[in-house]
Amino acid sequence: MSESGFTIPVIYCPFPASSFDDRNHPEWPQVSQEIYALIGDLDGSSSILKDAAAGVVLGDYMGRVHPDASPQGLGLSMMLTLIFFGHDDWLDQECKQGQRLSPLELNEYYDRALEVYDGAPTVPSDPLIARLMERFGVMVRAFKRPADSIRIRVSLEGYLRAHVWELDLRNRREMPPLPEYQAMRRNIAAMLLFYDMYPLIYDLNIPISTLDHPVVRQLTLMQADYTAWCNDILSFEKELNEDDPLNLPYILQAERNFSLQQALDAAAEMVKKSAIDYLGLKARLPQLGIPLSGALAELFDEMERTQSHFIAYQQRAPRWK
């Protein structure tokens, strides 16, 4: 038991065991240096990005999460990781500088960020998220795969707009129902965006029609939910200390009148069921006319390997301590 009177449950993970402690991408030092050079001028007088990178041990740990990525793909994953944590810390800072941002104000920030991502020139007054988007857009377009770039652009906007959704709930001090939280969380966690980038990160040529097949898309959503919910459980004590109520165990506690321990155990059961349901649906792909071979099979293999890597990552990174 912790001092708060609950125990974090063991995460059910039927996916390949993690090699996090044993394998690293051979080019991670060079790739991380390139990323730091790319964003070196963005912090200005603050240290948001520097602190975010240190908190997740950006280069070393991303190399361990993606040991089989292409070097260009590893750089893209490092950049998105930096965007994710840098954005969270930037948004926290914005909300602490006086009155909390309104959803409309945040939408305006994201409108500008997406304009810059699409190629509009930056100006000195642009917020940090817009200047990050400039670099990110250049990196995505450098793969010269326009169809994949379009899908990533859609997921990127979903990631950003979901934060407006979250901000509205925080400003209202409302606890959303579970289905609403599930839809919001998979986007806010950036895991849907991350998995939509896997064809680029791992240099997999998969037809867009296959990626957007409703069953393949559902499997991707299930993987995104699994990752996000694992994070909700593993980061629960930290978020409890920070009084952050938008977390899966808190949602379950409010909906079902559970104790904290019951809510944590129920969240762990949801994680387990999600993994079992995912494996069951994936096994049916050939019966649905979708051959589970070649690049598509490799895509699912990489997503599954990521799950155990992310669990190890969250248990070790200073940010969650």
Side-chain angles (χ1 to χ4, degrees):
M1 283 285 190
S2 73
E3 292 182 359
S4 302
F6 59 83
T7 300
I8 299 297
V10 175
I11 301 294
Y12 176 78
C13 184
F15 306 117
S18 176
S19 62
F20 189 89
D21 292 328
D22 305 316
R23 293 186 65 211
N24 204 331
H25 196 290
E27 297 188 45
W28 79 261
Q30 178 182 344
V31 173
S32 61
Q33 286 180 4
E34 292 169 356
I35 295 300
Y36 286 127
L38 189 65
I39 56 91
D41 64 326
L42 294 185
D43 259 346
S45 60
S46 72
S47 61
I48 289 176
L49 297 180
K50 180 181 177 182
D51 291 346
V56 295
V57 196
L58 181 70
D60 183 6
Y61 279 16
M62 277 298 99
R64 295 178 185 277
V65 171
H66 301 290
D68 299 312
S70 69
Q72 187 181 14
L74 180 61
L76 191 64
S77 73
M78 286 185 186
M79 188 63 179
L80 180 57
T81 301
L82 192 57
I83 287 170
F84 175 78
F85 292 110
H87 167 269
D88 274 7
D89 293 346
W90 164 79
L91 187 54
D92 285 346
Q93 186 181 83
E94 287 293 311
C95 290
K96 289 174 181 175
Q97 290 179 346
Q99 188 174 359
R100 183 179 288 275
L101 284 172
S102 73
L104 291 178
E105 290 170 324
L106 189 57
N107 250 331
E108 290 177 358
Y109 277 133
Y110 293 152
D111 287 343
R112 178 58 185 158
L114 290 166
E115 286 178 0
V116 172
Y117 175 86
D118 290 333
T122 58
V123 296
S125 60
D126 278 332
L128 177 62
I129 185 62
R131 289 176 284 139
L132 281 167
M133 286 298 112
E134 177 190 32
R135 272 66 165 183
F136 187 52
V138 169
M139 292 183 72
V140 171
R141 288 188 291 273
F143 284 83
K144 301 186 184 302
R145 289 172 54 170
D148 288 288
S149 295
I150 290 170
R151 292 184 80 252
I152 290 169
R153 171 63 167 74
V154 171
S155 292
L156 174 64
E157 181 158 9
Y159 160 69
L160 293 174
R161 302 299 185 192
H163 283 84
V164 179
W165 190 357
E166 180 188 44
L167 179 63
D168 181 61
L169 288 168
R170 291 187 187 281
N171 286 355
R172 295 172 182 273
R173 298 188 176 277
E174 289 183 3
M175 193 77 75
L178 182 58
E180 179 180 347
Y181 178 76
Q182 179 178 2
M184 181 182 72
R185 183 71 173 106
R186 66 169 63 117
N187 282 285
I188 284 177
M191 293 317 305
L192 189 56
L193 172 56
F194 228 128
Y195 291 139
D196 282 345
M197 287 167 43
Y198 268 35
L200 299 188
I201 290 173
Y202 289 99
D203 194 20
L204 302 173
N205 290 302
I206 304 171
I208 298 301
S209 59
T210 298
L211 293 171
D212 287 340
H213 187 288
V215 179
V216 174
R217 192 60 178 162
Q218 179 61 26
L219 289 167
T220 306
L221 292 172
M222 294 166 86
Q223 286 283 281
D225 287 342
Y226 181 93
T227 314
W229 293 347
C230 286
N231 175 259
D232 276 5
I233 295 170
L234 293 171
S235 66
F236 182 74
E237 190 158 10
K238 177 177 184 290
E239 293 180 9
L240 177 67
N241 293 333
E242 295 175 355
D243 194 26
D244 184 357
L246 289 180
N247 181 290
L248 179 61
Y250 272 136
I251 302 296
L252 293 171
Q253 183 185 37
E255 282 203 351
R256 303 178 188 179
N257 197 27
F258 282 163
S259 68
L260 278 182
Q261 188 63 61
Q262 289 173 322
L264 281 161
D265 292 342
E269 281 300 311
M270 284 183 61
V271 167
K272 180 177 180 178
K273 186 176 187 305
S274 174
I276 292 171
D277 289 348
Y278 162 83
L279 291 171
L281 181 57
K282 191 185 79 163
R284 290 162 48 203
L285 282 176
Q287 302 169 33
L288 300 172
I290 307 170
L292 189 55
S293 60
L296 182 62
E298 190 174 347
L299 173 67
F300 287 126
D301 286 347
E302 292 297 350
M303 284 196 288
E304 291 167 17
R305 279 192 283 269
T306 294
Q307 301 299 355
S308 59
H309 291 336
F310 266 130
I311 291 171
Y313 170 48
Q314 291 171 74
Q315 290 171 333
R316 290 162 176 74
R319 188 178 181 95
W320 289 287
K321 300 299 183 184

